[in-house]
Amino acid sequence: CNVITSPCSGPNNAEWIQQDSKIVWNMKKFPGASEQTMKAKITLSQSCTTQVRREIGPISMSFEIPMYNVSNLQVRYLRIAENMPGYTPYRWVRYVTQSSSYICRL
């Protein structure tokens, strides 16, 4: 598998992990109003049969974007209803965007 990242992608890197059959793409920064592109070329050692297509299967993606909130929902006030012994609440909220199910069929 050859992984080609876009020349304008900045400090991003992608690598093919053979034992897990996955591509891991890491991005250090994701500036607003920008687009990131990664192209992967998969070269098969045998002809493309139905069995090979099943092994390649649908491509699923999972991602997490810390400190980003897609919906712009903000927590302004939070009250803890129960006092639990040994639990000390922190005075901040962590926003994170996570994928739940993103699948591309071949």
Side-chain angles (χ1 to χ4, degrees):
C1 176
N2 297 327
V3 180
I4 305 161
T5 56
S6 173
C8 62
S9 61
N12 303 334
N13 64 341
E15 66 175 313
W16 167 251
I17 300 175
Q18 180 69 37
Q19 55 268 42
D20 296 334
S21 296
K22 69 179 179 180
I23 297 172
V24 177
W25 185 23
N26 293 315
M27 290 182 250
K28 300 280 186 199
K29 293 183 180 181
F30 197 89
S34 68
E35 179 179 312
Q36 302 293 320
T37 304
M38 190 260 311
K39 294 180 183 179
K41 180 179 180 181
I42 299 172
T43 306
L44 303 175
S45 60
Q46 51 188 310
S47 62
C48 190
T49 63
T50 307
Q51 179 63 28
V52 172
R53 284 178 88 70
R54 267 192 230 127
E55 285 182 26
I56 295 173
I59 299 171
S60 62
M61 295 184 352
S62 60
F63 57 87
E64 180 175 296
I65 306 171
M67 303 306 294
Y68 182 71
N69 185 358
V70 176
S71 66
N72 273 344
L73 181 70
Q74 293 183 349
V75 177
R76 296 197 186 269
Y77 178 77
L78 180 66
R79 186 177 71 164
I80 299 174
E82 294 181 23
N83 285 335
M84 294 175 35
Y87 176 71
T88 305
Y90 294 102
R91 296 184 60 99
W92 55 273
V93 174
R94 179 176 180 242
Y95 294 106
V96 65
T97 298
Q98 293 181 328
S99 65
S100 59
S101 177
Y102 191 90
I103 296 176
C104 177
R105 304 217 182 265
L106 298 175

Coordinates of all heavy atoms in Angstrom, one line a residue, residues 12-91:
N12 N 1.4 16.7 8.6 CA 0.6 15.5 8.7 C 1.4 14.3 8.2 O 2.3 14.5 7.4 CB -0.7 15.6 7.9 CG -1.5 16.8 8.3 OD1 -1.5 17.3 9.4 ND2 -2.3 17.3 7.3
N13 N 1.1 13.2 8.8 CA 1.8 12.0 8.2 C 0.8 10.8 8.3 O -0.1 10.8 9.1 CB 3.1 11.7 9.0 CG 2.8 11.3 10.5 OD1 1.7 11.6 11.0 ND2 3.7 10.7 11.1
A14 N 1.0 9.9 7.4 CA 0.1 8.7 7.3 C 1.0 7.5 7.1 O 2.1 7.6 6.5 CB -0.8 8.8 6.1
E15 N 0.6 6.4 7.7 CA 1.4 5.2 7.5 C 0.5 4.0 7.4 O -0.6 4.0 8.0 CB 2.4 5.0 8.7 CG 1.7 4.8 10.0 CD 2.7 4.5 11.1 OE1 3.6 3.7 10.9 OE2 2.6 5.1 12.2
W16 N 0.9 3.0 6.7 CA 0.2 1.7 6.5 C 0.7 0.7 7.6 O 1.9 0.5 7.7 CB 0.5 1.2 5.1 CG 0.1 -0.3 4.9 CD1 0.9 -1.3 4.7 CD2 -1.3 -0.8 4.8 NE1 0.1 -2.5 4.6 CE2 -1.2 -2.1 4.6 CE3 -2.5 -0.2 4.9 CZ2 -2.3 -2.9 4.4 CZ3 -3.6 -1.0 4.7 CH2 -3.5 -2.3 4.5
I17 N -0.2 0.2 8.3 CA 0.1 -0.8 9.3 C -0.4 -2.2 8.8 O -1.6 -2.4 8.8 CB -0.5 -0.5 10.7 CG1 0.0 0.9 11.2 CG2 -0.2 -1.6 11.7 CD1 -0.6 1.4 12.4
Q18 N 0.6 -3.0 8.4 CA 0.3 -4.3 7.7 C -0.5 -5.2 8.6 O -1.5 -5.8 8.1 CB 1.6 -4.9 7.3 CG 1.4 -6.2 6.5 CD 0.8 -6.1 5.1 OE1 1.1 -5.1 4.5 NE2 0.0 -7.0 4.7
Q19 N -0.1 -5.5 9.8 CA -0.8 -6.5 10.7 C -2.2 -6.2 11.0 O -3.0 -7.0 11.2 CB 0.0 -6.8 11.9 CG 0.4 -5.6 12.8 CD 1.7 -5.0 12.5 OE1 2.0 -4.9 11.3 NE2 2.4 -4.6 13.5
D20 N -2.6 -4.9 11.0 CA -3.9 -4.5 11.3 C -4.7 -4.1 10.1 O -5.9 -3.9 10.1 CB -4.0 -3.2 12.2 CG -3.4 -3.5 13.6 OD1 -3.4 -4.7 14.0 OD2 -2.9 -2.6 14.3
S21 N -4.0 -4.1 8.9 CA -4.6 -3.7 7.6 C -5.3 -2.4 7.7 O -6.5 -2.3 7.4 CB -5.6 -4.8 7.1 OG -5.0 -6.0 6.9
K22 N -4.6 -1.4 8.2 CA -5.2 -0.1 8.3 C -4.2 1.0 8.0 O -3.0 0.8 8.1 CB -5.8 0.1 9.7 CG -4.8 0.2 10.8 CD -5.6 0.4 12.1 CE -4.6 0.5 13.3 NZ -5.3 0.7 14.6
I23 N -4.7 2.2 7.7 CA -3.9 3.3 7.5 C -4.2 4.3 8.6 O -5.3 4.6 8.9 CB -4.2 4.0 6.1 CG1 -3.9 3.1 5.0 CG2 -3.4 5.3 6.0 CD1 -4.4 3.6 3.6
V24 N -3.1 4.7 9.3 CA -3.2 5.7 10.4 C -2.7 7.0 9.9 O -1.6 7.2 9.4 CB -2.4 5.2 11.6 CG1 -2.5 6.3 12.7 CG2 -2.9 3.9 12.1
W25 N -3.6 8.0 10.0 CA -3.3 9.4 9.5 C -3.4 10.3 10.7 O -4.4 10.5 11.3 CB -4.3 9.8 8.4 CG -4.1 11.1 7.7 CD1 -2.9 11.8 7.6 CD2 -5.1 11.9 7.0 NE1 -3.1 12.9 6.9 CE2 -4.4 13.0 6.5 CE3 -6.4 11.7 6.8 CZ2 -5.0 14.0 5.8 CZ3 -7.1 12.7 6.1 CH2 -6.4 13.8 5.6
N26 N -2.2 10.9 11.0 CA -2.2 11.8 12.1 C -2.0 13.3 11.6 O -1.2 13.5 10.7 CB -0.9 11.5 13.0 CG -1.1 10.2 13.7 OD1 -2.2 9.9 14.2 ND2 -0.1 9.4 13.7
M27 N -2.8 14.2 12.2 CA -2.7 15.6 11.9 C -2.3 16.3 13.2 O -3.0 16.2 14.2 CB -4.0 16.1 11.4 CG -4.4 15.5 10.0 SD -5.9 16.2 9.4 CE -6.9 14.7 9.5
K28 N -1.3 17.1 13.1 CA -0.9 17.9 14.3 C -1.8 19.1 14.5 O -2.3 19.3 15.6 CB 0.5 18.4 14.1 CG 1.6 17.3 14.0 CD 1.9 16.8 15.3 CE 3.1 15.8 15.1 NZ 3.2 14.9 16.1
K29 N -2.1 19.8 13.4 CA -3.0 20.9 13.5 C -4.1 20.8 12.4 O -3.8 20.3 11.3 CB -2.3 22.2 13.4 CG -1.3 22.5 14.5 CD -0.7 23.9 14.3 CE 0.2 24.2 15.5 NZ 0.9 25.5 15.3
F30 N -5.2 21.4 12.7 CA -6.3 21.4 11.7 C -6.9 22.8 11.7 O -7.8 23.0 12.4 CB -7.4 20.3 12.0 CG -8.3 20.0 10.8 CD1 -7.9 19.0 9.9 CD2 -9.4 20.7 10.7 CE1 -8.8 18.7 8.9 CE2 -10.3 20.4 9.6 CZ -9.9 19.4 8.7
P31 N -6.3 23.7 11.0 CA -6.8 25.1 11.0 C -8.2 25.2 10.4 O -8.6 24.5 9.6 CB -5.8 25.9 10.2 CG -5.0 24.9 9.4 CD -5.2 23.5 10.1
G32 N -8.9 26.2 11.0 CA -10.3 26.4 10.5 C -10.3 26.8 9.0 O -9.4 27.4 8.5
A33 N -11.4 26.6 8.4 CA -11.7 26.9 7.0 C -10.6 26.3 6.1 O -10.2 26.9 5.1 CB -11.8 28.4 6.8
S34 N -10.2 25.1 6.4 CA -9.2 24.4 5.5 C -9.7 23.0 5.2 O -10.6 22.5 5.8 CB -7.8 24.3 6.3 OG -7.9 23.5 7.4
E35 N -9.0 22.4 4.2 CA -9.4 21.1 3.8 C -8.1 20.3 3.7 O -7.1 20.7 3.2 CB -10.0 21.2 2.4 CG -10.4 19.8 1.8 CD -11.0 20.0 0.4 OE1 -11.9 20.8 0.3 OE2 -10.6 19.2 -0.5
Q36 N -8.2 19.1 4.3 CA -7.1 18.1 4.3 C -7.4 17.0 3.4 O -8.5 16.5 3.4 CB -6.8 17.6 5.7 CG -6.5 18.7 6.7 CD -5.2 19.5 6.4 OE1 -4.2 18.8 6.0 NE2 -5.2 20.8 6.5
T37 N -6.4 16.5 2.6 CA -6.6 15.4 1.7 C -5.5 14.4 1.8 O -4.4 14.7 2.0 CB -6.6 15.9 0.2 OG1 -7.6 17.0 0.1 CG2 -6.9 14.8 -0.8
M38 N -5.9 13.1 1.8 CA -5.0 12.0 1.9 C -5.4 11.0 0.8 O -6.6 10.7 0.7 CB -5.0 11.4 3.2 CG -3.9 10.4 3.4 SD -4.2 8.6 3.3 CE -5.6 8.4 4.3
K39 N -4.5 10.6 0.0 CA -4.8 9.6 -1.1 C -4.0 8.3 -0.7 O -2.9 8.4 -0.4 CB -4.4 10.1 -2.4 CG -5.2 11.3 -2.9 CD -4.8 11.7 -4.3 CE -5.5 12.9 -4.7 NZ -5.1 13.4 -6.1
A40 N -4.7 7.2 -0.9 CA -4.0 5.9 -0.7 C -4.2 5.0 -1.9 O -5.3 5.0 -2.4 CB -4.6 5.2 0.6
K41 N -3.1 4.5 -2.3 CA -3.2 3.6 -3.5 C -2.9 2.2 -3.0 O -1.8 1.9 -2.5 CB -2.2 4.0 -4.6 CG -2.2 3.1 -5.8 CD -1.2 3.6 -6.8 CE -1.2 2.8 -8.0 NZ -0.2 3.2 -9.0
I42 N -3.9 1.3 -3.2 CA -3.7 -0.1 -2.8 C -3.4 -1.0 -4.0 O -4.2 -1.0 -4.9 CB -4.9 -0.6 -2.1 CG1 -5.2 0.2 -0.8 CG2 -4.8 -2.1 -1.7 CD1 -6.5 -0.1 -0.1
T43 N -2.3 -1.6 -4.0 CA -1.9 -2.5 -5.1 C -2.0 -3.9 -4.7 O -1.5 -4.4 -3.7 CB -0.4 -2.2 -5.5 OG1 -0.3 -0.9 -5.8 CG2 -0.1 -3.0 -6.8
L44 N -2.8 -4.7 -5.4 CA -3.1 -6.1 -5.0 C -2.1 -7.0 -5.7 O -1.7 -6.8 -6.9 CB -4.5 -6.5 -5.4 CG -5.6 -5.6 -4.8 CD1 -7.0 -6.0 -5.4 CD2 -5.6 -5.7 -3.3
S45 N -1.7 -8.1 -5.1 CA -0.8 -9.0 -5.6 C -1.5 -10.1 -6.5 O -0.8 -10.8 -7.2 CB 0.0 -9.7 -4.5 OG -0.9 -10.4 -3.7
Q46 N -2.8 -10.1 -6.5 CA -3.6 -11.1 -7.3 C -4.7 -10.3 -8.0 O -5.0 -9.2 -7.7 CB -4.1 -12.2 -6.4 CG -4.8 -11.7 -5.1 CD -5.2 -12.8 -4.2 OE1 -5.7 -13.8 -4.6 NE2 -4.8 -12.7 -2.9
S47 N -5.4 -11.0 -8.9 CA -6.5 -10.4 -9.6 C -7.6 -10.1 -8.7 O -7.8 -10.8 -7.7 CB -6.9 -11.2 -10.8 OG -7.4 -12.5 -10.3
C48 N -8.4 -9.1 -9.0 CA -9.5 -8.7 -8.1 C -10.8 -9.6 -8.3 O -11.5 -9.4 -9.2 CB -9.9 -7.2 -8.4 SG -11.0 -6.5 -7.2
T49 N -10.9 -10.6 -7.4 CA -12.1 -11.4 -7.5 C -13.1 -11.0 -6.4 O -12.8 -10.1 -5.6 CB -11.6 -12.9 -7.2 OG1 -11.1 -13.0 -5.9 CG2 -10.6 -13.4 -8.3
T50 N -14.2 -11.7 -6.3 CA -15.2 -11.4 -5.3 C -14.7 -11.6 -3.9 O -14.9 -10.8 -3.0 CB -16.4 -12.3 -5.5 OG1 -16.9 -12.1 -6.9 CG2 -17.6 -11.9 -4.6
Q51 N -13.9 -12.7 -3.7 CA -13.3 -13.0 -2.4 C -12.3 -11.8 -2.0 O -12.3 -11.4 -0.9 CB -12.5 -14.3 -2.5 CG -11.9 -14.7 -1.1 CD -12.9 -14.9 0.0 OE1 -14.0 -15.2 -0.3 NE2 -12.5 -14.6 1.2
V52 N -11.5 -11.4 -2.9 CA -10.6 -10.3 -2.6 C -11.3 -9.0 -2.3 O -10.9 -8.3 -1.4 CB -9.6 -10.1 -3.8 CG1 -8.7 -8.8 -3.6 CG2 -8.7 -11.3 -4.0
R53 N -12.4 -8.7 -3.0 CA -13.2 -7.5 -2.7 C -13.8 -7.6 -1.3 O -13.9 -6.6 -0.6 CB -14.3 -7.3 -3.8 CG -13.8 -6.8 -5.1 CD -14.9 -6.6 -6.1 NE -15.6 -5.4 -6.1 CZ -15.1 -4.2 -6.4 NH1 -13.9 -4.1 -6.8 NH2 -15.9 -3.2 -6.4
R54 N -14.2 -8.8 -0.9 CA -14.7 -9.0 0.5 C -13.6 -8.8 1.5 O -13.9 -8.2 2.6 CB -15.3 -10.4 0.6 CG -16.8 -10.4 0.3 CD -17.4 -11.7 0.7 NE -18.2 -12.2 -0.4 CZ -18.1 -13.4 -1.0 NH1 -17.3 -14.3 -0.5 NH2 -18.8 -13.7 -2.0
E55 N -12.4 -9.2 1.2 CA -11.3 -9.0 2.1 C -11.0 -7.5 2.3 O -10.7 -7.0 3.4 CB -10.1 -9.7 1.7 CG -10.1 -11.2 2.0 CD -8.9 -11.9 1.6 OE1 -7.8 -11.3 1.6 OE2 -8.9 -13.1 1.3
I56 N -11.0 -6.8 1.2 CA -10.8 -5.3 1.2 C -12.0 -4.7 1.9 O -11.9 -3.9 2.8 CB -10.7 -4.7 -0.2 CG1 -9.4 -5.3 -0.8 CG2 -10.6 -3.2 -0.1 CD1 -9.2 -4.9 -2.3
G57 N -13.2 -5.2 1.6 CA -14.5 -4.8 2.2 C -14.8 -3.3 2.2 O -14.1 -2.5 1.6
P58 N -15.8 -3.0 3.0 CA -16.1 -1.6 3.1 C -15.0 -0.9 3.9 O -14.4 -1.5 4.8 CB -17.5 -1.5 3.8 CG -17.6 -2.8 4.5 CD -16.8 -3.8 3.7
I59 N -14.8 0.4 3.6 CA -13.7 1.1 4.3 C -14.4 1.9 5.4 O -15.4 2.7 5.2 CB -13.0 2.1 3.3 CG1 -12.3 1.3 2.2 CG2 -12.1 3.0 4.1 CD1 -11.8 2.1 1.1
S60 N -14.0 1.7 6.6 CA -14.6 2.4 7.7 C -13.6 3.4 8.3 O -12.4 3.1 8.3 CB -15.0 1.5 8.8 OG -13.9 0.7 9.4
M61 N -14.1 4.5 8.8 CA -13.2 5.5 9.3 C -13.7 5.9 10.7 O -14.8 5.9 11.0 CB -13.2 6.8 8.4 CG -12.7 6.6 7.1 SD -12.6 8.0 6.0 CE -13.4 9.3 6.8
S62 N -12.7 6.1 11.6 CA -13.0 6.6 12.9 C -12.1 7.7 13.2 O -10.9 7.7 12.8 CB -12.9 5.5 14.0 OG -11.6 5.0 14.0
F63 N -12.6 8.8 13.8 CA -11.7 9.9 14.1 C -12.2 10.7 15.4 O -13.3 10.5 15.8 CB -11.7 10.9 12.9 CG -13.0 11.4 12.5 CD1 -13.6 12.5 13.1 CD2 -13.8 10.8 11.5 CE1 -14.8 13.0 12.7 CE2 -15.0 11.2 11.1 CZ -15.5 12.4 11.7
E64 N -11.3 11.5 15.9 CA -11.6 12.3 17.1 C -10.9 13.6 16.9 O -9.8 13.7 16.5 CB -11.1 11.6 18.3 CG -11.4 12.3 19.6 CD -10.9 11.5 20.8 OE1 -11.5 10.5 21.1 OE2 -10.0 12.0 21.5
I65 N -11.7 14.7 17.1 CA -11.2 16.0 17.0 C -11.3 16.7 18.4 O -12.4 17.1 18.7 CB -11.9 16.9 15.9 CG1 -11.8 16.1 14.6 CG2 -11.2 18.2 15.8 CD1 -12.7 16.8 13.5
P66 N -10.2 16.8 19.1 CA -10.4 17.4 20.5 C -10.5 18.9 20.4 O -10.1 19.5 19.4 CB -9.0 17.0 21.2 CG -8.1 16.7 20.1 CD -8.9 16.2 18.9
M67 N -11.2 19.4 21.3 CA -11.4 20.9 21.5 C -12.2 21.5 20.3 O -12.0 22.6 19.9 CB -10.1 21.6 21.7 CG -9.2 21.2 22.9 SD -10.2 21.2 24.4 CE -10.4 22.9 24.6
Y68 N -13.0 20.7 19.7 CA -13.9 21.2 18.6 C -15.3 20.6 18.8 O -15.5 19.5 19.1 CB -13.3 20.7 17.2 CG -14.2 21.2 16.1 CD1 -14.1 22.5 15.7 CD2 -15.0 20.3 15.4 CE1 -14.9 23.0 14.7 CE2 -15.7 20.8 14.3 CZ -15.7 22.1 14.0 OH -16.4 22.6 12.9
N69 N -16.3 21.5 18.6 CA -17.7 21.2 18.8 C -18.4 21.5 17.5 O -18.6 22.7 17.2 CB -18.2 22.0 20.0 CG -19.6 21.6 20.4 OD1 -20.2 20.8 19.7 ND2 -20.1 22.2 21.4
V70 N -18.9 20.5 16.8 CA -19.6 20.7 15.6 C -20.9 21.5 15.7 O -21.2 22.3 14.9 CB -19.9 19.3 14.9 CG1 -20.6 19.5 13.6 CG2 -18.6 18.6 14.6
S71 N -21.6 21.2 16.8 CA -22.9 21.8 16.9 C -22.9 23.2 17.6 O -24.0 23.8 17.6 CB -23.8 20.9 17.8 OG -23.3 20.8 19.1
N72 N -21.8 23.6 18.0 CA -21.6 24.9 18.7 C -22.5 24.9 20.0 O -22.8 26.0 20.6 CB -22.0 26.1 17.9 CG -20.9 26.6 17.1 OD1 -19.7 26.3 17.4 ND2 -21.1 27.4 16.1
L73 N -22.8 23.8 20.6 CA -23.5 23.7 21.8 C -22.5 24.0 22.9 O -21.4 23.5 22.9 CB -24.0 22.3 22.0 CG -24.8 22.0 23.3 CD1 -26.1 22.7 23.3 CD2 -25.0 20.5 23.5
Q74 N -22.8 24.9 23.9 CA -21.9 25.2 24.9 C -22.5 25.0 26.3 O -23.7 25.2 26.5 CB -21.6 26.7 24.8 CG -20.8 27.1 23.6 CD -20.4 28.6 23.6 OE1 -20.9 29.3 24.4 NE2 -19.5 28.9 22.7
V75 N -21.7 24.5 27.2 CA -22.2 24.2 28.6 C -21.8 25.5 29.4 O -20.6 25.8 29.5 CB -21.5 23.0 29.2 CG1 -21.9 22.8 30.6 CG2 -21.8 21.8 28.3
R76 N -22.8 26.2 29.8 CA -22.5 27.4 30.6 C -22.7 27.2 32.1 O -22.1 27.9 32.9 CB -23.4 28.5 30.1 CG -23.2 28.9 28.7 CD -23.8 30.3 28.4 NE -23.7 30.6 27.0 CZ -22.8 31.3 26.5 NH1 -21.8 31.7 27.2 NH2 -22.7 31.6 25.2
Y77 N -23.5 26.2 32.5 CA -23.7 26.0 33.9 C -23.9 24.5 34.1 O -24.7 23.9 33.3 CB -25.0 26.7 34.4 CG -25.3 26.5 35.8 CD1 -24.6 27.1 36.8 CD2 -26.4 25.7 36.1 CE1 -24.9 26.8 38.1 CE2 -26.7 25.4 37.5 CZ -25.9 26.0 38.5 OH -26.3 25.8 39.8
L78 N -23.3 23.9 35.0 CA -23.4 22.5 35.3 C -23.5 22.3 36.8 O -22.7 22.8 37.6 CB -22.2 21.7 34.8 CG -22.2 20.2 35.0 CD1 -23.3 19.6 34.2 CD2 -20.9 19.7 34.5
R79 N -24.5 21.6 37.2 CA -24.7 21.3 38.7 C -24.6 19.8 38.9 O -25.3 19.0 38.2 CB -26.1 21.8 39.1 CG -26.3 21.7 40.6 CD -27.6 22.3 41.0 NE -28.6 21.4 40.6 CZ -29.8 21.4 41.0 NH1 -30.2 22.3 41.9 NH2 -30.7 20.5 40.6
I80 N -23.9 19.4 39.9 CA -23.7 18.0 40.3 C -24.7 17.8 41.3 O -24.7 18.4 42.4 CB -22.3 17.7 40.7 CG1 -21.3 18.0 39.6 CG2 -22.2 16.3 41.2 CD1 -19.9 17.9 39.9
A81 N -25.7 16.9 41.1 CA -26.8 16.6 42.0 C -26.4 15.8 43.2 O -26.9 16.1 44.3 CB -27.9 15.9 41.2
E82 N -25.5 14.9 43.1 CA -25.1 14.0 44.2 C -23.7 14.3 44.6 O -22.8 14.4 43.7 CB -25.3 12.6 43.8 CG -26.7 12.1 43.6 CD -26.7 10.6 43.3 OE1 -25.7 9.9 43.7 OE2 -27.6 10.2 42.6
N83 N -23.4 14.4 45.9 CA -22.1 14.5 46.4 C -21.6 13.1 46.6 O -22.1 12.3 47.4 CB -22.0 15.3 47.7 CG -22.1 16.7 47.4 OD1 -21.8 17.2 46.4 ND2 -22.6 17.5 48.4
M84 N -20.5 12.7 45.9 CA -20.0 11.3 46.0 C -18.7 11.4 46.8 O -17.9 12.3 46.5 CB -19.7 10.7 44.6 CG -21.0 10.5 43.9 SD -20.8 9.9 42.2 CE -19.4 8.9 42.2
P85 N -18.5 10.6 47.8 CA -17.3 10.7 48.6 C -16.1 10.3 47.7 O -16.1 9.4 46.9 CB -17.5 9.7 49.7 CG -18.6 8.9 49.3 CD -19.4 9.6 48.3
G86 N -15.0 11.1 47.8 CA -13.8 10.8 47.1 C -13.8 11.4 45.7 O -12.8 11.2 44.9
Y87 N -14.8 12.0 45.2 CA -14.9 12.6 43.9 C -14.8 14.1 43.9 O -15.5 14.8 44.6 CB -16.2 12.2 43.2 CG -16.4 12.9 41.8 CD1 -15.6 12.4 40.7 CD2 -17.3 13.9 41.6 CE1 -15.7 13.0 39.5 CE2 -17.4 14.5 40.4 CZ -16.6 14.0 39.3 OH -16.7 14.6 38.1
T88 N -13.8 14.6 43.2 CA -13.6 16.1 43.2 C -13.9 16.5 41.7 O -13.1 16.2 40.9 CB -12.2 16.5 43.6 OG1 -11.9 15.9 44.9 CG2 -12.0 18.0 43.6
P89 N -14.9 17.3 41.5 CA -15.2 17.7 40.1 C -14.2 18.8 39.7 O -13.7 19.6 40.5 CB -16.6 18.3 40.2 CG -16.8 18.7 41.6 CD -15.9 17.7 42.4
Y90 N -13.9 18.8 38.4 CA -13.0 19.8 37.8 C -13.9 20.9 37.3 O -15.0 20.7 36.9 CB -12.1 19.2 36.7 CG -11.2 18.2 37.2 CD1 -11.4 16.9 37.1 CD2 -10.0 18.6 37.8 CE1 -10.5 15.9 37.5 CE2 -9.1 17.7 38.3 CZ -9.3 16.3 38.2 OH -8.5 15.4 38.6
R91 N -13.3 22.1 37.1 CA -14.1 23.3 36.7 C -13.9 23.6 35.2 O -13.7 24.7 34.8 CB -13.6 24.5 37.5 CG -14.0 24.4 39.0 CD -13.6 25.6 39.7 NE -14.4 26.8 39.2 CZ -15.5 27.3 39.8 NH1 -15.9 26.7 40.8 NH2 -16.1 28.3 39.2

